[in-house]
Amino acid sequence: MNNMSKKGTALIIGGGIAGLLSARVLSDYYEEVVIVEKDNFPAGPEDRAGTPQSFHPHRFTQRGKEIMTRFFPDFEQDLAEQGARSVLNKTVHNMNQHGTVVVQYPRNDYKFSRALLEWVVRKRVREIPGVRFLPKHDVLRLLTTPDHAAVTGVAVRERGADGQEKFLMADLVVDTSGRSSKLTAWLENLGYDVPTPDLLKVNLGYSTRRYRIPPNQAHLTETWDTVIIGGQPANGTFSGVFSIIENQTAEVLLYRPGGHYPPTDAEQFEQAVAQLPSPLIAELLQGLEPITAPRGFRVPALHRHHFEQMDRWPSGLLVLGDAFCIYDPIFGQGMTVAAIEAEVLEACLREQGEAPPAAFRTTSAPKHSGCDRTGLVVELRERPAVGGRRICRRRAAKGNFVRPEISRSASGACDGRA
């Protein structure tokens, strides 16, 4: 907690997990924090149109959970009150071409849908004094000083309104708008030279279906955590994941990179489950009631921007989350990396407050390199990476990642190592 007096306004573009974490951190240092979101926030745990990936499985790693718990103490109890369940000592079954491992999950973690997690965290953020939400607004462009050297706010337009622009002024603008970020175009329009991002074309396809667990199958919730059946590319089979989230709901995910997209037709989806290298998931689904149609989601490419290589960067601007780097969602790294970024931001703001400096940079290279490598191993097993500047082992290991100057009133540097 910051003991110094709060000053100024921070504006966050995007109200997802990265935006909510940023708001939590910035609320300790700024008198006002405004979250601008293009969607209308649902009244309950429901998916938003602006996060099409939210229907598919989401998880924290242990590091992500630890950071989230520090920022939002007992948030898992909030999840539990909404029907999420602990997977302590539940069975994890992991099978791939190298063999099978079956273990009892050793930690008291809770499984949840992305919609439930976001709803719980958003409720917590709404309770923070000085934080307010501005839903149903598109951010059109950055506002800057005449020489474009500093960002002073954003121009927005309310969705469904008469098209009139409004200017929102801020001391700090944080882009957490995810994979739909327009930051590169905004910077280029201001005359900045933006490096070509690293690009890994994976043509990854997901399809997820949810099922109700009836009372006579309730033993499944007491037995199972997750079943992972690795696909066999040579045989053309998908990978499959079975897990149980909140309120007696099971979900099954099929996926495969390389342009081989799993079906979204219900009958074809069930056939693909039956054709997995192991019959276990199909057997677990016997007696469960489908409550949704299969929903698809495609990831044409993974990207990683290199803003740290720019000769100039406007002060008062920061970028976090998928707006900076997109990981393969199957590894559950995205939310954890967003939490790590929020922790780095907090450390830098704390250093700035204790020894006020004029220009402020954060470096968190080690936070990303391992995540890059994890995804590469699996993607390249299916097909080579193509296009753009390829993400290779050398570049992934280097792991450069810089958060340029975030405050016009700061000076000096913060290396942000946690």
Side-chain angles (χ1 to χ4, degrees), residues 15-18 20-21 44-48 54 57-61 64-65 68-69 72 74-80 82 84 110-125 210 245-246 334-336 339:
I17 297 299
L20 295 170
L21 283 162
E46 300 174 10
D47 296 311
R48 294 186 289 113
S54 66
H58 279 68
R59 301 290 183 265
F60 276 120
T61 68
K65 174 186 171 179
M68 182 66 80
T69 300
F72 302 102
D74 299 322
F75 83 98
E76 284 188 311
Q77 292 305 309
D78 294 353
L79 294 172
Q82 298 299 321
Y110 283 75
K111 292 296 176 71
F112 47 80
S113 65
R114 159 70 181 262
L116 177 59
L117 175 68
E118 191 172 294
W119 184 71
V120 161
V121 176
R122 189 165 59 246
K123 284 184 63 179
R124 289 286 193 99
V125 173
R210 290 181 180 170
I245 51 176
E246 67 267 13
M335 295 195 304
T336 290

Side-chain angles (χ1 to χ4, degrees), residues 37 73 75 102 112 117 146 185 266 280-281 322 330 395 407 418:
E37 168 57 48
F75 83 98
V102 180
F112 47 80
L117 175 68
L280 179 56
I281 293 180
D322 285 357
I330 196 61
R395 186 167 294 282
S407 175

Side-chain angles (χ1 to χ4, degrees), residues 61 200 302 304 325-328 331-338 340 365-379 391 396-397 399:
T61 68
L200 181 68
L302 311 177
R304 174 175 177 160
C325 184
I326 296 177
Y327 299 102
D328 181 344
F331 297 106
Q333 297 166 331
M335 295 195 304
T336 290
V337 170
I340 293 172
K367 317 298 184 185
H368 285 253
S369 59
C371 300
D372 283 345
R373 290 194 295 270
T374 302
L376 284 169
V377 170
V378 174
E379 312 305 350
I391 302 178

Side-chain angles (χ1 to χ4, degrees), residues 142-213:
L142 299 173
L143 304 178
T144 69
T145 54
D147 61 359
H148 305 320
V151 172
T152 59
V154 296
V156 301
R157 178 185 295 128
E158 184 177 2
R159 288 193 161 190
D162 57 7
Q164 185 176 1
E165 291 184 9
K166 295 188 294 186
F167 291 171
L168 302 177
M169 311 310 292
D171 301 282
L172 171 67
V173 172
V174 183
D175 182 11
T176 65
S177 58
R179 58 192 69 217
S180 64
S181 170
K182 299 179 177 62
L183 184 58
T184 294
W186 292 340
L187 289 171
E188 290 175 341
N189 288 339
L190 293 171
Y192 287 88
D193 294 324
V194 181
T196 302
D198 287 340
L199 188 67
L200 181 68
K201 292 185 177 179
V202 294
N203 294 318
L204 180 64
Y206 287 82
S207 188
T208 299
R209 193 177 198 188
R210 290 181 180 170
Y211 304 78
R212 186 181 70 85
I213 301 174

